[in-house]
Amino acid sequence: MICIQNENMKGMIEMSVELIARGKVVCARLIGDIDHHTAKQMRNDIDIAVNENDPDELILDFSEVTFMDSSGIGLVMGRYKVMQERGGRLIVAKTPPYISKVMKVSGIGRLAKFAADYELPEKEAEEVVRVETANQ
Amino acid sequence: MKRPINEMKVVFPSLSENERFARVAVSGFLSFIDPALDELADIKTAVSEAVTNAIVHGYHDCIGKIELRVRVYEQGRVYIRISDKGCGIADIKKAMEPMFTTRPQEDRAGLGFAVMQSFMDKVRVTSKVDKGTTVVLEKCVASRRDNG
């Protein structure tokens, strides 16, 4: 499991992205405002997680997104392309009504799968606790 | 045209940090008419698109000034003008086509004007190459205040 948090701009919490990799799934929880300024960092973080974990499925969770303009559409389209090239799929999850309205302008609904909710694979046992014993 | 009941103007440099400032400034200014939240969200989104265009395209190779002007008229008519003195747009019709972007490599969807048009009542663009671009956005909002 990896977890990256990126707080943009000195002292001002504007956005962050929480990444969880589990099994063949990477889930990115986007938090805060998505605009041209913040989208850059978000997509870098997501692409790093995708490259490192090679998932079959990328979930973008929008439940904590407070604002989004067409930069967010660009972010979704870009990640759709990335997943398509890798033979995986993209899921856009938990979009608040306002975000859905912005998405609708793009027709991205025809490409990516939208989901009201999702479930992550169970944590693997060895991932939870790893005890190393030095002396027998 | 009648005089506005309230107005404001801010000028700021074309730094991408100011995309947030611009929409927060508009939202703060409009709070006196207490607009419905979904309409305020529409306006903030359109402002964000226009300001981003000025930053990404107008001043693509330099930092310049962006002027944001907001006027509120009777019956909740909101007028917003965003202007830059950047490179201008050679073909406005082309620039306003959905999915058209000069910067696909940066994940720009090319939907800025499409969003402005679908979220506002009126969008007017005037531009002159090497002189700059002005975007006027208008929307009538249902004020939650009786005399707004």
Side-chain angles (χ1 to χ4, degrees):
Chain A
M1 174 175 163
I2 54 154
C3 194
I4 305 174
Q5 273 225 356
N6 238 307
E7 247 112 74
N8 228 3
M9 288 178 68
K10 317 106 203 170
M12 239 177 94
I13 301 169
E14 194 177 342
M15 76 83 189
S16 64
V17 48
E18 275 179 21
L19 289 151
I20 300 164
R22 216 176 272 173
K24 295 302 270 176
V25 178
V26 166
C27 174
R29 281 186 63 222
L30 312 173
I31 302 159
D33 287 12
I34 306 178
D35 59 17
H36 153 256
H37 179 73
T38 61
K40 253 182 264 176
Q41 191 62 54
M42 281 184 169
R43 65 169 193 258
N44 281 349
D45 292 348
I46 296 166
D47 289 352
I48 288 170
V50 167
N51 275 325
E52 283 181 359
N53 295 282
D54 192 28
D56 292 340
E57 193 172 282
L58 170 66
I59 302 169
L60 300 178
D61 179 336
F62 280 82
S63 58
E64 300 292 319
V65 175
T66 44
F67 171 85
M68 187 181 103
D69 64 16
S70 69
S71 309
I73 299 171
L75 179 105
V76 172
M77 284 178 160
R79 304 299 68 65
Y80 171 78
K81 270 186 223 152
V82 166
M83 290 310 289
Q84 208 186 23
E85 278 163 16
R86 306 177 75 98
R89 59 186 195 137
L90 176 75
I91 292 177
V92 178
K94 297 189 180 179
T95 48
Y98 161 69
I99 305 294
S100 306
K101 193 177 168 183
V102 181
M103 296 271 189
K104 227 174 248 173
V105 179
S106 68
I108 185 89
R110 290 194 299 271
L111 300 175
K113 192 186 161 202
F114 280 67
D117 209 350
Y118 60 87
E119 262 178 51
L120 291 176
E122 293 286 314
K123 276 188 185 177
E124 285 168 34
E126 70 266 30
E127 194 188 318
V128 186
V129 191
R130 184 175 289 243
V131 183
E132 300 217 348
T133 42
N135 46 348
Q136 305 291 319
Chain B
M1 191 186 279
K2 278 185 182 170
R3 286 165 67 98
I5 54 172
N6 199 356
E7 61 185 314
M8 71 98 147
K9 182 177 98 173
V10 282
V11 180
F12 50 88
S14 60
L15 302 168
S16 60
E17 287 90 334
N18 286 333
E19 291 156 12
R20 179 185 169 84
F21 165 72
R23 59 181 186 264
V24 171
V26 170
S27 158
F29 174 71
L30 292 178
S31 66
F32 82 98
I33 49 167
D34 200 13
L37 288 180
D38 57 338
E39 289 181 327
L40 187 60
D42 290 352
I43 293 175
K44 281 170 72 179
T45 312
V47 167
S48 198
E49 299 294 354
V51 170
T52 302
N53 276 351
I55 293 169
V56 174
H57 303 289
Y59 296 117
H60 60 94
D61 57 355
C62 61
I63 299 293
K65 280 180 186 166
I66 298 173
E67 186 189 283
L68 166 66
R69 201 182 262 275
V70 185
R71 293 183 189 137
V72 177
Y73 296 90
E74 301 284 342
Q75 272 116 36
R77 194 162 68 81
V78 179
Y79 167 101
I80 299 167
R81 198 177 75 185
I82 293 137
S83 39
D84 66 63
K85 292 188 162 49
C87 68
I89 305 167
D91 188 344
I92 295 177
K93 215 177 145 208
K94 184 96 193 150
M96 291 181 84
E97 273 174 21
M99 316 294 269
F100 173 81
T101 180
T102 49
R103 289 182 163 65
Q105 72 280 9
E106 290 164 38
D107 271 354
R108 306 297 309 155
L111 290 167
F113 282 120
V115 167
M116 286 182 238
Q117 282 168 326
S118 70
F119 285 17
M120 302 296 284
D121 298 337
K122 260 189 219 165
V123 179
R124 252 193 341 267
V125 185
T126 47
S127 189
K128 210 166 187 182
V129 172
D130 295 334
K131 295 281 181 206
T133 301
T134 295
V135 175
V136 172
L137 306 166
E138 283 185 61
K139 191 178 180 78
C140 273
V141 299
S143 169
R144 290 187 293 186
R145 251 179 35 165
D146 294 333
N147 58 346

